[in-house]
């Protein structure tokens, strides 16, 4: 029969499983001889075997070694003679080498069960099978706690028991001791969970005074010996500090690169030896330390689990943190933060990696107390928030920075530079989440504070001015953005010089908003030499160079060179594929722009195919709720309408609008844009009255959310006036377009392209009102192309 080796971390119930197996075999007369040995070392094994030899064979007790050998010989299968059915249990084997000469023999009538925390390859051979014993499932945990409490006439809500089991990581030993504590002390699950989460209390505080079920160790003590043993394995002395580092990270998965980062290796080196001539710990040694922890079942190491190679039970983490002094705790927290920062790629090409790193930062923040906030905010806190936003979770990023700024204010004070930086991050993602007007207010206050604290030439002051100008443009005031950026560029040139990245970025933004203010030709003239400047200073593959090329391609299209825009975006897509790979969000955006400008070039079928493929890839790579996925679905719907499938386009927009409202709410610019296109498509499908009703409702929301002078509000008025005319209210259309023209002249000036559009429509409906030849008007003022999105 095969030998069974039960392996797993302390507290999973390996001994209990072996005892239940042995008890059942004995009670059901499945064995004739049962030998149970606490096999902590070779001496204990020999002693157990010798006692069996004395009792079974009458061996000489004065010679334990010979008696033990005699017992093993007795276990050997015999060709003749009676066959004895036996079971040998070797409980808690500490070191596989302790059994090198003492394994019970393979026998058709004998069975061996070994329990151990070790996972060494030597434990598994042809005649031995290793079985990993894990924690309970959620269902098993709930059933156990319910049963254990019911014995004492205690009842707790299933939801609370399930939450407690999750807090304990479904570890059987911890569940048993928690149930005993609840009964002995008379507290409920909520109070016990609060005790577990209190950083001022240790796991020992959560143990009952008398351990249940004959247990010899508390949860807190279950792993201490294992850590000592792991630390004695090669490379000696590195397992403990490696586990200490992992104790501050996400128990559900830690990237292996974190423990081999520069900061992690520096910590291991300082811990390993204080000698001045000590050799630095290498990445290979750190990996061996991980394997030592794995061999003692303190870490689960799965090299095939992408970015989540290391798993540590949360109670092991808790017990390790309990042993640290305050100074050690804070040092490890900052070291873990450094290691995460170094493991974070400058450009997040891998969506899954970003998610794992953010989860590890959240765990670190939970365990570190104020260590990441003193003496300053650790940079990993900023990296995590911006990673959230860059991954499309703009609302979460906004809320994250709002919370961070509140904590920074409370701990560091309102005037601390990091508090101001957190407020800046809040404003940025406030704008990205669709509330550009409020972001402008936030940044206006921040600019005043930075001017007073840092002065007008400080880079952070200039950065705030830059972001404020950009958000003014996002709020609809493109001309105001140009007015703010023009002197800022001069300031950057004087303070930082022409080749500084901030100077280039400000010039880039100035050209962009110059185009949005109506001067696309001037914007192209400004951006063309700037792209050459980017190429010279940053190189062709820098992300800012690629972004500048993207905006130049778009502005060329808006200046009338549609074919040039398509060609430029096709070339940009090839470069982004080469630099960033096919799955990067910026590569997907290049595909988006290419499909968009195919519409202007008249290739509607190509645009539909491009957006359809893009939606499929965005769903796979970014998920259904990512803003880029939703925008791609919006433009696909609009393209379907332009391709003649008005019904399909309307159905797609209605579904999309429901998702928009669920994910980002009704007041974000994107759902307002979706409503704009839905109203227009209804009119083009023949329901002019329905279009009037929908645009009337939309205009009220645009006025409330974005204000009367926002370009999108003015466009909503344009469409409402148009469909009033189409619905038969020609006089109303003339009046509406007359009023709109005056407001657009006031907001944009006489040279903006939207002025031409309004004049065209006004002339059209005035001619219709006079019963003139509308055809002549349309020949003089040809219809402008429509963008697939506002």
């Amino acid at each position: 029969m095969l030998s069974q080796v039960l392996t797993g971390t302390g507290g999973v119930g390996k001994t209990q499983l072996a005892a239940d197996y042995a008890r059942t075999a004995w009670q059901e007369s499945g064995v004739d001889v049962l030998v149970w040995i606490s096999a902590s070392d070779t001496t204990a094994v020999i002693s157990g075997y010798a006692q069996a030899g004395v009792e079974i064979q009458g061996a000489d007790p004065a010679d334990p070694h010979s008696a033990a050998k005699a017992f093993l010989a007795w276990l050997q299968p015999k060709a003749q003679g009676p066959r004895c059915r036996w079971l040998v249990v070797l409980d808690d084997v500490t070191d596989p080498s302790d059994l090198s000469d003492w394994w019970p023999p393979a026998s058709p009538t004998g069975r061996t069960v070994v329990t151990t925390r070790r996972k060494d390859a030597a434990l598994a051979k042809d005649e031995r099978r290793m079985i990993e014993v894990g924690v309970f499932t959620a269902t098993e945990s709930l059933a156990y706690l319910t049963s254990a409490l019911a014995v004492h006439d205690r009842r707790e809500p299933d939801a609370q028991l399930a939450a407690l089991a999750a807090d304990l990581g479904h570890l059987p030993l911890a569940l048993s001791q928690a149930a005993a504590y609840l009964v002995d002390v008379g507290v409920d699950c909520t109070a016990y969970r609060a005790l577990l989460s209190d950083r001022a209390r240790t796991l020992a505080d959560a143990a009952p005074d008398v351990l249940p079920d004959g247990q010899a160790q508390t949860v807190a003590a279950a792993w201490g010996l294992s850590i000592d043993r792991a630390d004695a394995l090669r490379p000696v002395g590195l397992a403990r500090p490696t586990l200490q580092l992992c104790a501050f990270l996400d128990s559900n998965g830690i990237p292996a690169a974190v423990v081999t980062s520069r900061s992690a290796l520096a910590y291991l080196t300082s811990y390993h030896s204080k000698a001045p001539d000590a050799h630095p710990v290498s990445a290979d040694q750190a990996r061996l330390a991980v394997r030592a922890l794995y061999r003692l079942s303190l870490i689960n190491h799965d090299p095939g689990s992408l970015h989540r190679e290391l798993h540590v039970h949360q109670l092991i983490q808790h017990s390790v943190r309990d042993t640290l002094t305050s100074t050690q705790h804070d040092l490890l927290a900052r070291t873990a933060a450094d290691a995460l920062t170094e493991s974070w790629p400058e450009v997040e090409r891998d969506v899954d990696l970003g998610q794992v790193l953010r989860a590890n930062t959240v765990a670190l923040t939970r365990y570190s107390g104020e260590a990441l906030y003193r003496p300053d905010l650790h940079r990993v806190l900023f990296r995590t928030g911006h990673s959230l936003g860059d991954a499309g979770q703009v609302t979460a990023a906004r809320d994250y920075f709002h919370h961070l700024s509140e904590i920074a204010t409370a701990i560091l004070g309102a005037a601390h530079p990091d508090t101001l930086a957190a407020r800046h991050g809040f404003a940025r993602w406030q704008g990205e989440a669709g509330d550009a007007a409020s972001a402008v207010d936030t940044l206006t206050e921040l600019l005043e504070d930075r001017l007073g604290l840092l002065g007008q030439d400080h880079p952070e002051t200039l950065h705030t001015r830059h972001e404020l100008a950009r958000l003014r443009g996002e709020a609809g005031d493109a001309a105001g953005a140009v007015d703010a950026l023009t002197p800022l560029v001069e300031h950057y040139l004087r303070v930082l010089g022409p080749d500084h990245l901030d100077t280039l970025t400000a010039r880039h933004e100035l050209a962009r908003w110059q185009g949005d203010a109506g001067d696309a030709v001037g914007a192209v003239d400004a951006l063309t030499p700037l792209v050459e400047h980017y190429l010279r200073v940053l190189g062709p593959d820098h992300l800012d160079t690629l972004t500048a090329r993207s905006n130049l391609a778009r502005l060329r299209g808006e200046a009338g060179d549609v074919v040039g825009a398509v060609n430029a975006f096709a070339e940009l897509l090839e470069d982004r594929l080469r630099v960033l790979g096919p799955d990067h969000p910026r590569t997907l955006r290049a595909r988006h722009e290419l499909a968009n400008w195919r519409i202007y070039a008249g290739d509607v079928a190509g645009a539909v195919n491009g957006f359809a493929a893009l939606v499929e890839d965005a769903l796979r790579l970014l998920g259904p709720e990512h803003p880029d996925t939703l925008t791609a679905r919006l433009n696909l719907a609009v393209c379907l309408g332009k391709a003649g499938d008005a019904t399909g386009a309307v159905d797609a927009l209605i579904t999309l609008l429901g998702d928009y409202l669920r994910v980002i709410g009704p007041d974000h610019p994107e759902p307002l844009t979706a409503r704009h296109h839905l109203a227009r498509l209804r009119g083009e499908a023949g329901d002019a009255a329905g279009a009037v009703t929908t645009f009337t409702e939309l205009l009220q929301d645009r006025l409330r959310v974005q204000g009367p002078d926002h370009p999108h509000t003015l466009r909503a008025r344009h469409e409402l006036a148009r469909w009033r005319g189409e619905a038969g209210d020609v006089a109303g259309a003339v009046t509406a377009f007359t009023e709109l023209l005056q407001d657009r002249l006031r907001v944009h000036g006489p040279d903006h392209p939207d002025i031409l559009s309004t004049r065209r429509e006004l002339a059209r409906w005035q001619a219709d009102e006079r019963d003139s030849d509308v055809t002549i008007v349309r020949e003089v003022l040809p219809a402008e192309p429509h963008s697939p999105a506002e």
Side-chain angles (χ1 to χ4, degrees):
M1 294 185 181
L2 286 173
S3 298
Q4 313 289 329
V5 180
L6 307 181
T7 182
T9 191
V12 294
K14 302 180 295 297
T15 297
Q16 288 81 356
L17 283 173
D20 182 72
Y21 179 76
R23 187 182 304 110
T24 301
W26 184 257
Q27 291 174 348
E28 295 180 356
S29 301
V31 294
D32 303 309
V33 174
L34 171 60
V35 178
W36 183 286
I37 299 173
S38 295
S40 57
D41 54 31
T42 302
T43 301
V45 174
I46 293 174
S47 177
Y49 284 166
Q51 182 181 352
V54 170
E55 295 183 11
I56 295 172
Q57 300 172 274
D60 183 3
D63 188 357
H65 193 276
S66 296
K69 286 293 185 182
F71 174 68
L72 284 180
W74 181 81
L75 294 179
Q76 289 285 352
K78 308 295 190 295
Q80 297 178 346
R83 294 193 171 190
C84 179
R85 298 168 304 166
W86 54 264
L87 170 61
V88 174
V89 180
L90 301 171
D91 184 40
D92 196 22
V93 172
T94 300
D95 188 337
S97 63
D98 292 338
L99 298 180
S100 295
D101 298 321
W102 301 100
W103 279 97
S107 170
T109 60
R111 288 173 276 177
T112 302
V113 175
V114 174
T115 72
T116 181
R117 302 183 188 192
R118 298 287 289 263
K119 296 182 180 180
D120 303 64
L123 287 167
K125 294 180 66 176
D126 292 341
E127 71 276 11
R128 296 195 291 268
R129 184 175 67 174
M130 187 178 292
I131 300 173
E132 182 110 19
V133 181
V135 298
F136 281 166
T137 64
T139 301
E140 290 169 339
S141 295
L142 180 59
Y144 174 82
L145 286 174
T146 302
S147 175
L149 292 174
V151 172
H152 302 277
D153 294 324
R154 283 285 304 273
R155 300 288 186 275
E156 291 275 349
D158 284 355
Q160 284 297 321
L161 291 176
L164 173 59
D167 288 348
L168 297 171
H170 305 286
L171 186 75
L173 181 66
L175 295 170
S176 172
Q177 294 182 10
Y181 188 97
L182 293 177
V183 172
D184 291 349
V185 181
V187 299
D188 59 14
C189 286
T190 301
Y192 191 81
R193 294 180 65 205
L195 176 63
L196 285 175
S197 63
D198 186 352
R199 282 194 60 243
R201 311 295 289 272
T202 68
L203 279 181
D205 296 323
D209 291 334
V210 179
L211 299 180
D213 305 325
Q215 295 165 7
Q217 289 182 321
T218 65
V219 172
W223 301 288
L225 187 57
S226 293
I227 296 172
D228 291 338
R229 291 168 179 169
D231 218 30
L233 297 176
R234 293 180 298 173
V236 177
L238 288 185
R240 187 185 305 275
T242 301
L243 186 59
Q244 289 174 344
L245 189 64
C246 293
F248 284 81
L249 299 171
D250 185 14
S251 63
N252 296 313
I254 304 166
V258 172
V259 298
T260 58
S261 66
R262 178 180 54 80
S263 293
L265 295 179
Y267 173 75
L268 295 179
T269 299
S270 66
Y271 188 99
H272 187 232
S273 175
K274 302 299 182 183
D277 59 346
H279 294 292
V281 172
S282 68
D284 285 341
Q285 288 176 306
R287 284 187 281 266
L288 286 174
V290 167
R291 293 305 293 181
L293 292 166
Y294 169 78
R295 287 161 62 189
L296 266 298
S297 298
L298 293 164
I299 276 183
N300 184 25
H301 181 209
D302 181 8
S305 179
L306 188 63
H307 309 317
R308 296 182 184 272
E309 295 93 337
L310 309 181
H311 296 255
V312 190
H313 194 281
Q314 59 213 58
L315 292 186
I316 294 180
Q317 294 179 306
H318 198 319
S319 67
V320 170
R321 294 194 303 272
D322 286 347
T323 66
L324 302 172
T325 67
S326 176
T327 300
Q328 289 173 325
H329 175 277
D330 291 354
L331 173 62
L332 273 160
R334 301 286 295 196
T335 299
D338 289 341
L340 284 173
T341 304
E342 291 165 11
S343 303
W344 221 307
E346 182 178 352
V347 179
E348 285 188 32
R349 295 177 174 85
D350 191 324
V351 175
D352 292 335
L353 176 58
Q355 182 178 359
V356 171
L357 291 170
R358 292 193 300 273
N360 274 270
T361 305
V362 170
L364 172 60
T365 305
R366 184 166 60 247
Y367 302 141
S368 62
E370 294 187 0
L372 300 186
Y373 303 99
R374 296 184 186 276
D376 52 24
L377 298 186
H378 195 282
R379 54 183 174 160
V380 78
L381 299 173
F382 292 99
R383 190 70 184 85
T384 299
H386 290 306
S387 175
L388 267 176
D390 291 339
Q393 301 179 51
V394 291
T395 302
R398 177 200 63 195
D399 295 343
Y400 175 93
F401 275 107
H402 183 257
H403 180 62
L404 185 62
S405 63
E406 289 182 329
I407 293 177
T409 300
I411 295 177
L412 302 176
H416 194 282
D418 287 350
T419 304
L420 301 180
R423 289 170 59 192
H424 187 107
F426 168 61
R428 174 191 172 187
W429 294 109
Q430 191 178 24
E432 294 290 342
D435 192 1
S438 295
V440 167
D441 293 339
T442 302
L443 279 177
T444 300
E445 296 176 1
L446 177 60
L447 180 58
E448 291 178 4
D449 292 339
R450 278 189 159 163
L451 282 167
L453 293 167
L454 304 175
Q456 64 175 355
D457 292 340
H458 193 281
E460 294 301 330
T461 303
L462 297 174
H463 190 199
T464 303
R465 287 179 58 190
H466 185 162
E467 189 70 6
L468 178 57
R470 185 185 70 82
L471 283 168
R472 279 178 176 156
E474 297 291 352
D477 186 9
V482 171
D483 291 341
L485 284 165
T486 300
L488 179 60
V489 167
E490 295 301 320
H491 203 138
Y492 269 129
L493 287 168
R494 176 175 57 81
V495 174
L496 301 177
D499 293 341
H500 194 280
L501 181 58
D502 289 349
T503 305
L504 297 175
T505 304
R507 290 176 59 193
H508 184 174
E509 286 286 343
L510 176 57
R512 172 197 170 188
W513 292 112
Q514 186 179 356
D516 282 12
D519 185 10
V521 174
V524 168
D525 291 341
L527 199 51
T528 300
L530 180 59
V531 167
E532 295 300 321
H533 202 145
Y534 269 119
L535 289 167
R536 177 174 57 81
V537 174
L538 302 178
D541 295 343
H542 193 280
L543 292 185
D544 287 355
T545 303
L546 297 174
T547 300
R549 288 175 56 194
S550 176
N551 278 323
L552 178 56
R554 177 179 61 83
L555 287 165
R556 279 178 177 163
E558 292 177 0
D561 185 8
V562 176
V563 174
V566 171
N567 293 336
F569 274 116
E571 293 173 1
L572 176 64
L573 176 58
E574 292 299 320
D575 288 335
R576 279 192 168 165
L577 284 166
R578 175 179 55 79
V579 174
L580 302 175
D583 296 344
H584 193 277
R586 297 197 186 197
T587 303
L588 301 182
R589 287 171 197 154
R591 290 171 58 188
H592 188 126
E593 289 285 358
L594 179 57
N596 181 26
W597 284 98
R598 280 177 172 157
I599 290 277
Y600 286 93
D603 184 10
V604 177
V608 169
N609 292 335
F611 277 122
L614 179 61
V615 167
E616 183 177 339
D617 288 340
L619 285 167
R620 173 176 57 86
L621 297 168
L622 306 176
E625 296 183 356
H626 193 285
D628 289 357
T629 303
L630 298 172
T631 302
R633 288 174 58 193
L634 170 62
N635 284 327
L636 174 60
V638 175
C639 286
L640 288 174
K642 290 186 175 298
D645 184 10
T647 301
V650 168
D651 290 343
L653 283 171
I654 291 173
T655 302
L656 174 63
L657 187 56
D659 291 337
Y660 267 134
L661 295 176
R662 175 177 54 81
V663 174
I664 57 179
D667 292 343
H668 191 280
E670 289 289 319
L672 296 176
T673 298
R675 290 171 59 190
H676 182 110
H677 288 296
L678 181 59
R680 180 178 56 79
L681 281 167
R682 280 176 172 160
E684 292 176 357
D687 185 10
V692 170
T693 300
T694 308
F695 272 118
T696 300
E697 296 170 352
L698 175 62
L699 178 58
Q700 295 305 311
D701 289 334
R702 291 279 198 200
L703 287 165
R704 174 178 57 83
V705 175
Q706 296 172 314
D709 294 342
H710 194 284
H712 290 175
T713 303
L714 299 175
R715 286 170 191 156
R717 289 175 59 188
H718 182 111
E719 288 288 340
L720 176 57
R722 172 195 172 192
W723 290 107
R724 277 179 177 165
E726 298 289 353
D729 184 8
V730 176
V734 170
T735 300
F737 274 120
T738 301
E739 295 172 352
L740 176 61
L741 179 59
Q742 296 305 312
D743 287 336
R744 276 187 158 167
L745 286 167
R746 174 180 55 82
V747 173
H748 296 313
D751 298 328
H752 195 279
D754 287 349
I755 301 298
L756 177 63
S757 173
T758 303
R759 290 186 187 279
R760 178 189 300 115
E761 287 294 325
L762 177 58
R764 170 193 175 192
W765 294 108
Q766 284 175 334
D768 202 21
E769 188 178 35
R770 295 191 303 269
D771 196 24
S772 300
D773 188 353
V774 179
T775 303
I776 296 175
V777 176
R778 288 178 177 168
E779 288 175 353
V780 173
L781 298 171
E784 61 177 341
H786 290 287
S787 169
E790 286 185 341

